[in-house]
Amino acid sequence: MKFFIDTANLNDIKEANDLGILDGVTTNPSLMAKEGITGQQNILDHYVAICNIVDGPVSAEVISTDFEGMVREGEHLATLHKNIVVKIPMIPEGIKAIKYFNAKGIKTNCTLIFSAGQALLAAKAGATYISPFLGRLDDVSTNGLDLIAQIRLIYDNYSFNTQILAASIRHPMHIINCAELGSDVMTGPLSAIKALAKHPLTDLGLQQFLADHAKGNG
Ligand code: E4P
């Protein structure tokens, strides 16, 4: 399973990249705003800064909601760097835009997926990735992991190439469960990625090994 980090924070992106396990980055307008990145040019420059840190797909989201606007924005985003993936919302105009970009060889990430029907439509339009939002489903008492399993089954039934990018990850168990279900990619915060490495027995064991070594070696 590929690991993407879901942030626009350059320090977090660098830290995850330095671990050597990072495959890509996802952003969204809320994450950009959270970092105080405002204004069209600053936002575009920030995407380039991210692309210069990570050698992998970087999702950059359009803010237009009409086909023409999405095409205009997406085509410009795609010129910024070879690794830019145009992030398109799951709305009817977005489906048309995904189809358009697919025909032009521009990669897309269909975002705000909350149902299997939406995932099916996005795959038929030729989305490179779809982003089902696990955490936000869990927030409304619906099991987000069930959706991942359902989409996996549908995509495998018809050999769709669209990759399942599990999004809105909140904690390490989400990541492990997504891996069990065969999600192609997960995108989550640095905290969830780093939490995978933590185990109290590892810390205790290491402490003991170092103490024993110190005893024998002065
Ligand atoms: C997906 O690409 C989104 O950026 C993201 O995962 C949303 O996560 P949230 O529900 O934590 O905002």
Side-chain angles (χ1 to χ4, degrees), residues 55-84:
D55 185 19
V58 173
S59 287
E61 189 159 341
V62 299
I63 47 159
S64 299
T65 53
D66 62 303
F67 173 75
E68 289 77 16
M70 288 184 197
V71 164
R72 196 172 47 248
E73 268 190 73
E75 284 187 330
H76 186 55
L77 287 168
T79 64
L80 295 177
H81 193 280
K82 66 176 172 54
N83 288 342
I84 289 284

Side-chain angles (χ1 to χ4, degrees), residues 6 26 28 31 87 133 136 167-168 170 187:
D6 192 33
T26 53
N28 64 40
L31 292 171
K87 206 170 176 190
F133 278 34
R136 292 193 195 186
S168 189
R170 300 280 162 77
T187 190

Side-chain angles (χ1 to χ4, degrees), residues 38-217:
T38 55
Q40 185 61 4
Q41 194 52 51
N42 290 335
I43 291 171
L44 298 179
D45 290 347
H46 204 73
Y47 288 138
V48 175
I50 294 173
C51 289
N52 287 337
I53 298 171
V54 180
D55 185 19
V58 173
S59 287
E61 189 159 341
V62 299
I63 47 159
S64 299
T65 53
D66 62 303
F67 173 75
E68 289 77 16
M70 288 184 197
V71 164
R72 196 172 47 248
E73 268 190 73
E75 284 187 330
H76 186 55
L77 287 168
T79 64
L80 295 177
H81 193 280
K82 66 176 172 54
N83 288 342
I84 289 284
V85 173
V86 181
K87 206 170 176 190
I88 309 269
M90 169 35 76
I91 53 177
E93 292 290 286
I95 297 168
K96 289 191 228 167
I98 289 166
K99 179 92 189 165
Y100 173 90
F101 286 126
N102 185 38
K104 294 204 105 188
I106 292 174
K107 292 191 170 132
T108 54
N109 172 1
C110 185
T111 189
L112 292 166
I113 294 279
F114 291 97
S115 76
Q118 292 177 325
L120 184 55
L121 278 175
K124 283 186 71 67
T128 315
Y129 304 95
I130 52 129
S131 293
F133 278 34
L134 287 196
R136 292 193 195 186
L137 280 169
D138 289 355
D139 289 345
V140 294
S141 311
T142 303
N143 190 343
L145 292 167
D146 287 347
L147 177 60
I148 301 291
Q150 206 180 6
I151 299 171
R152 181 73 282 155
L153 176 67
I154 292 169
Y155 282 9
D156 288 350
N157 279 348
Y158 298 98
S159 303
F160 281 119
N161 289 326
T162 300
Q163 295 183 50
I164 302 173
L165 195 176
S168 189
I169 294 277
R170 300 280 162 77
H171 50 72
M173 279 315 292
H174 268 157
I175 301 177
I176 292 163
N177 293 147
C178 284
E180 285 172 338
L181 292 170
S183 190
D184 300 290
V185 191
M186 79 81 204
T187 190
L190 181 63
S191 57
I193 295 171
K194 282 168 70 177
L196 289 173
K198 288 296 288 176
H199 199 289
L201 291 180
T202 303
D203 296 340
L204 272 176
L206 180 59
Q207 215 180 348
Q208 188 67 55
F209 286 155
L210 296 179
D212 289 344
H213 174 82
K215 271 188 245 160
N217 293 276

Side-chain angles (χ1 to χ4, degrees), residues 3-30:
F3 273 39
F4 290 2
I5 189 167
D6 192 33
T7 185
N9 182 288
L10 297 183
N11 289 330
D12 282 4
I13 293 170
K14 278 186 199 126
E15 190 174 336
N17 194 54
D18 286 349
L19 288 174
I21 48 78
L22 193 64
D23 300 296
V25 181
T26 53
T27 63
N28 64 40
S30 304

